[in-house]
Amino acid sequence: MSADANEEIKWIYSLVEKHFPIYESKVDANSITLYVNPKDRSTVSAEFSEIQKELKNKGFIAAFDYTGGEYILLVLRGPAPQQKSKKKTLLNKVLLVLTFITTTIAGMVLWSGYDSSSGMWTLQTALMGAVTFAVPLMAILGIHELGHYYAAKRHGISASLPYFIPSIPPFGTFGAFISLREPMPDRKTLVDIGAAGPMCGFLVTIPVAILGLYLTGQGGVVAGDISAGAAYVTIQPIYNLMAYFFPSVDGLVMHPTAFAAWVGFFVTAINLLPVGQLDGGHIARGLFGDKAKYLGYAAFLVLFICALLYDGWLLFALLVILLGITHPAPLDNMSKIDNKTKAFGAITLLLILITFVPEPLHVAEADYSFNVENVQYPENSIVFELVNTGNTGYDVEISLSEKVEYKVWADGIEVDGKLHIDRESSKEIRVEAYPDNPEIKKVTVYLHSPGDEDIQTFNLAS
């Protein structure tokens, strides 16, 4: 062992002994393990905090825990300090620009679907895609990560600027993250940094959602028919509550800004899952200590149950396994947290109850059902009201079983037997037969929707 190493060890022993008596130690090439006997257990965390600051200034990391009836202080050589460099922020800037482009393209898809008069690849659509979707979504994600960033700085933790992850529509991004370059020192820091992101992101999402609801109500663009295989979102509880204050006509297309807010609430819910290195995992570990692992197991089980409704949760659950269900302990695993921090962490963690939905995206199935009401039987004819009870418009075919002449009227207009019935609408139908053979006293009317899914028959004679 070099003279410099011996001096460092002596200095570490001297520093620790100022706060805790040492009764046993182990030294190896990478670490020093010290078994100490605190004089006053009520001041253990404060004493360790002082040791931690001194060690950090000298390039060391210290961890403190109570295991097997003993207080154990572990000292490790910390990573070399990183110098600030413009090159290290280049990747952040490139990803920011790329994600703005991909979210703008996603916004263009959304805007062209919202405003059917706009072509996809036009300057106006690109501008509206950026303004109505890319900007609000990236603001939500960016402020979420900046919340983590400034909370880390406030606690003296080195952190990177946000990294945005570009993707394809419908979102245009997989979100954003920051890199913490130091381990968490104590439970309070875990809660503060973990909760700052989702709380900041949630507070920004609220005004975006209000604007989105207002624009949706003012748009006046009625949603088209539901088509089989189309994907639809499930509105979160907080969004449904807000919608009560912004009533609008049913069936309006969601404005792209409203969808950006939906993504914001969705991201908040995912991050607050109390597992692993997610924000919820940070908060849970800070609030509940080692017992947080049980909350993580429960959340993981819920994900698997929800995967029965939405396959995406299964993929996310597998990702959680790879990253780890449980959260590592902070350096000071015995530290206490004040009531203010507990309240902040608990309120933030509970946001998952109003932002999480078991089936965020679902595939709609077209329903071609109908009812026949107010049936009447004038001579040689039948009159009835055809009511669409499904969720989409479709063509209905009306034909007769016998080869006789007949005419069909829909709302007083003669049709050739095939007619379109819009969603949530009805038509008055009249079918009149002209039999050549006077012996024919009745004929049968066949009425069916696409695919012969619903067939009803009627005799002209009652």
Side-chain angles (χ1 to χ4, degrees):
M1 185 176 293
S2 68
D4 289 344
N6 280 326
E7 289 299 319
E8 286 180 339
I9 292 173
K10 289 180 181 179
W11 177 80
I12 292 171
Y13 271 74
S14 174
L15 172 64
V16 174
E17 284 182 328
K18 290 179 182 178
H19 301 271
F20 305 127
I22 301 171
Y23 63 87
E24 186 179 346
S25 65
K26 296 178 183 178
V27 180
D28 59 32
N30 300 312
S31 65
I32 301 174
T33 304
L34 302 174
Y35 296 81
V36 301
N37 188 17
K39 296 178 181 179
D40 185 353
R41 295 191 177 188
S42 65
T43 63
V44 165
S45 291
E47 297 280 356
F48 174 68
S49 180
E50 293 297 321
I51 295 172
Q52 199 174 38
K53 290 177 183 177
E54 293 287 337
L55 288 172
K56 184 177 179 180
N57 291 335
K58 294 290 186 178
F60 294 95
I61 294 175
F64 198 35
D65 203 356
Y66 182 75
T67 305
E70 295 181 295
Y71 289 92
I72 303 173
L73 196 156
L74 178 66
V75 181
L76 302 166
R77 173 71 68 180
Q82 297 184 358
Q83 299 295 324
K84 292 184 178 180
S85 171
K86 291 183 179 180
K87 290 184 179 179
K88 291 189 176 181
T89 62
L90 178 61
L91 180 59
N92 303 78
K93 295 173 183 177
V94 170
L95 289 175
L96 176 66
V97 172
L98 288 177
T99 306
F100 180 75
I101 293 173
T102 56
T103 51
T104 295
I105 293 173
M108 292 168 67
V109 174
L110 293 168
W111 181 258
S112 61
Y114 175 78
D115 183 2
S116 57
S117 64
S118 297
M120 173 65 183
W121 301 105
T122 65
L123 180 60
Q124 179 185 1
T125 302
L127 179 62
M128 296 306 295
V131 172
T132 64
F133 182 73
V135 170
L137 178 58
M138 292 190 69
I140 292 170
L141 299 177
I143 292 176
H144 177 122
E145 297 306 324
L146 287 175
H148 289 313
Y149 178 82
Y150 285 109
K153 291 296 183 183
R154 190 172 64 250
H155 284 278
I157 304 296
S158 178
S160 71
L161 290 171
Y163 293 94
F164 285 86
I165 309 174
S167 180
I168 60 175
F171 300 153
T173 177
F174 284 123
F177 68 94
I178 65 168
S179 174
L180 296 176
R181 296 170 178 146
E182 298 178 47
M184 295 289 189
D186 51 46
R187 291 171 62 185
K188 174 177 171 55
T189 304
L190 266 176
V191 174
D192 285 348
I193 295 179
M199 180 58 77
C200 288
F202 178 80
L203 293 177
V204 174
T205 306
I206 293 295
V208 174
I210 292 173
L211 178 60
L213 288 169
Y214 172 78
L215 292 173
T216 297
Q218 298 299 312
V221 181
V222 180
D225 295 334
I226 292 177
S227 57
Y232 295 85
V233 300
T234 303
I235 302 301
Q236 299 95 341
I238 179 63
Y239 221 159
N240 272 323
L241 178 62
M242 294 173 66
Y244 280 109
F245 299 96
F246 297 89
S248 60
V249 179
D250 291 337
L252 295 181
V253 174
M254 178 180 276
H255 192 276
T257 302
F259 183 64
W262 182 91
V263 177
F265 288 133
F266 179 59
V267 169
T268 298
I270 288 178
N271 277 283
L272 285 176
L273 289 169
V275 294
Q277 293 287 348
L278 294 175
D279 298 339
H282 291 323
I283 300 170
R285 178 72 202 204
L287 291 177
F288 307 114
D290 295 336
K291 294 180 181 179
K293 62 184 178 182
Y294 300 112
L295 191 58
Y297 296 147
F300 185 73
L301 178 61
V302 169
L303 280 180
F304 261 103
I305 295 174
C306 290
L308 299 175
L309 299 173
Y310 175 59
D311 294 342
W313 291 129
L314 181 60
L315 179 63
F316 192 76
L318 295 176
L319 181 62
V320 167
I321 290 178
L322 293 176
L323 296 177
I325 299 177
T326 59
H327 191 290
L331 296 178
D332 183 359
N333 196 33
M334 299 178 297
S335 59
K336 305 297 182 181
I337 53 177
D338 56 77
N339 290 333
K340 182 179 179 181
T341 302
K342 289 179 181 178
F344 179 49
I347 291 171
T348 304
L349 198 58
L350 288 174
L351 290 179
I352 194 173
L353 299 179
I354 58 175
T355 56
F356 182 84
V357 286
E359 190 181 14
L361 296 171
H362 62 277
V363 177
E365 296 183 1
D367 180 4
Y368 301 113
S369 61
F370 58 82
N371 281 338
V372 174
E373 302 174 0
N374 302 322
V375 183
Q376 302 175 41
Y377 296 94
E379 185 178 359
N380 258 9
S381 63
I382 181 173
V383 177
F384 54 88
E385 184 179 3
L386 183 62
V387 181
N388 185 347
T389 57
N391 59 11
T392 185
Y394 49 84
D395 292 330
V396 174
E397 184 176 355
I398 300 172
S399 59
L400 300 188
S401 58
E402 290 82 359
K403 293 183 179 180
V404 297
E405 292 184 19
Y406 67 94
K407 291 184 179 181
V408 180
W409 287 267
D411 288 341
I413 301 175
E414 186 175 354
V415 296
D416 62 359
K418 292 183 178 180
L419 56 101
H420 184 82
I421 180 170
D422 295 327
R423 184 180 63 178
E424 299 179 354
S425 67
S426 63
K427 290 182 180 293
E428 184 185 72
I429 308 299
R430 178 183 177 91
V431 182
E432 186 173 354
Y434 302 94
D436 293 332
N437 189 340
E439 295 180 0
I440 296 178
K441 300 298 183 182
K442 68 177 182 180
V443 293
T444 304
V445 177
Y446 286 82
L447 177 64
H448 60 88
S449 58
D452 292 338
E453 293 185 17
D454 294 285
I455 300 177
Q456 297 188 34
T457 61
F458 308 91
N459 292 326
L460 291 183
S462 59

